[in-house]
Amino acid sequence: QVQLVESGGGLVQAGGSLRLSCAASGSIFSIGAMGWYRQAPGKQRELVAAITSGGSTNYADSVKGRFTISRDNAKNTVYLQMNSLKPEDTAVYYCNANIARVHLFYDYWGQGTQVTVSS
């Protein structure tokens, strides 16, 4: 069994910063790509940022230059540093990871953490 546990969400004023963390635990053989998605009320879930096992990253245009994704492979953890936050960043943020328990990779999701940016 594999679990992704997120932390670090909360309420912040516009222009502020938050750091999200997501730790994977359980029967893990290998972790591939990891990423962060978000879903605002009435909107579809969207990719915010992703990082491969080798450290290559990609970002949604709306967060480029403000958000930074990183990972610690020794801790099976992915981070999202969010700076210069805007009210439109308000959403539930979900961690995603492609994890192999033996030889096959499966997608896993965290429970979500609320990020609220006040104007």
Side-chain angles (χ1 to χ4, degrees), residues 7 24-25 37 39 52 79 81 84 89 117:
S7 60
S25 62
Y37 289 71
Q39 188 166 19
T52 67
Y79 306 96
Q81 177 66 43
S84 302
D89 294 318
V117 184

Side-chain angles (χ1 to χ4, degrees), residues 94-116:
Y94 296 92
C95 173
N96 171 267
N98 200 230
I99 296 174
R101 296 182 63 185
V102 182
H103 299 299
L104 296 178
F105 281 86
Y106 298 92
D107 255 1
Y108 291 89
W109 292 88
Q111 79 284 0
T113 185
Q114 178 71 46
V115 171
T116 303

